[in-house]
Amino acid sequence: MLLLALDTATPAVTVALHDGTDVVAASSQVDARRHGELLLPAVDRVLAEAGTRLGAVTGIVVGIGPGPYTGLRVGLMTADTFGLALGVPVHGLCTLDGLAYAAGIEGPVEGPFVVATDARRKEVYWARYEDARTRVTEPAVDRPAEIAELVAGLPAVGAGAVLYPDTFPDARAPEHVSAAALAALAAERLAAGEELEAPRPLYLRRPDAQVPKNYKVVTPK
């Protein structure tokens, strides 16, 4: 097994290789405006660090969000393209699950907690977890004040938690998802015979860019 994992659902552009046992190489850069520019060089860098080539990859793992439309589709389209070119399966994983896995397995969180990422528009993408591997609510998008009672008393991880301390007073690392965590979680689930999600975007709301209402078509005479 050699999994190539990538995620562009948050400001982090993150890529990793996992051999089924350990992370072989990884790269993460935080830049919300350069997903398309940074992703492929990051893939090249990770492959070079691992001393391997793209053709050796046996599967692709991609974060499916939730996340903003523009950034999220960069990773998903790249993953689909690699899968078609290589003839290997493309597996989807919820980006929030990757953050939860990193927080519970590698970080300072035990027991129930919340993952919250920045959804812009003064909202967060969020979900509750029983532990690092067990999500107990569906991913949602809400204003922090609207979910304050639902998350009260729980530690929270993710950039969304850092942005809204009134709702998430116990914010902890990590802030952004890492492809290393996504790859490790995917490898664990695949080894257990579990079926991963389809590589389809989890947007939760319409894109920011929309056709104006009452749009008037002008036809030349």
Side-chain angles (χ1 to χ4, degrees):
M1 178 186 292
L2 186 62
L3 297 175
L4 174 66
L6 51 95
D7 193 296
T8 58
T10 75
V13 179
T14 179
V15 179
L17 274 176
H18 196 288
D19 65 5
T21 302
D22 295 302
V23 174
V24 179
S27 171
S28 291
Q29 296 170 271
V30 178
D31 192 326
R33 299 181 180 276
R34 300 172 64 207
H35 291 94
E37 179 182 345
L38 296 175
L39 182 57
L40 290 180
V43 171
D44 288 340
R45 189 163 55 250
V46 164
L47 290 170
E49 181 181 338
T52 189
R53 54 186 177 79
L54 186 61
V57 169
T58 61
I60 310 294
V61 178
V62 61
I64 62 172
Y69 177 81
T70 303
L72 183 54
R73 68 177 179 175
V74 170
L76 285 162
M77 290 301 296
T78 301
D80 279 344
T81 300
F82 284 159
L84 287 171
L86 299 173
V88 299
V90 181
H91 307 287
L93 271 181
C94 175
T95 297
L96 302 181
D97 290 356
L99 262 165
Y101 188 81
I105 300 301
E106 306 165 6
V109 179
E110 295 181 4
F113 63 98
V114 178
V115 174
T117 60
D118 182 17
R120 305 174 187 172
R121 301 184 191 175
K122 299 181 180 179
E123 294 177 329
V124 293
Y125 297 118
W126 71 283
R128 287 182 54 168
Y129 290 78
E130 184 63 29
D131 55 45
R133 298 177 175 85
T134 310
R135 176 161 35 90
V136 295
T137 65
E138 290 299 315
V141 58
D142 291 289
R143 289 182 177 271
E146 295 172 348
I147 61 171
E149 292 186 7
L150 298 175
V151 303
L154 296 175
V157 301
V162 175
L163 283 172
Y164 302 101
D166 288 345
T167 300
F168 306 103
D170 188 5
R172 306 183 187 183
E175 286 192 33
H176 301 291
V177 69
S178 74
L182 278 177
L185 178 58
E188 184 178 294
R189 290 181 175 176
L190 290 171
E194 297 180 28
E195 187 172 338
L196 302 186
E197 298 176 70
R200 297 294 175 263
L202 189 59
Y203 291 129
L204 301 187
R205 69 184 184 202
R206 295 179 63 82
D208 290 333
Q210 299 182 30
V211 176
K213 293 182 180 179
N214 302 318
Y215 180 75
K216 182 181 293 186
V217 177
V218 178
T219 304
K221 294 181 180 180

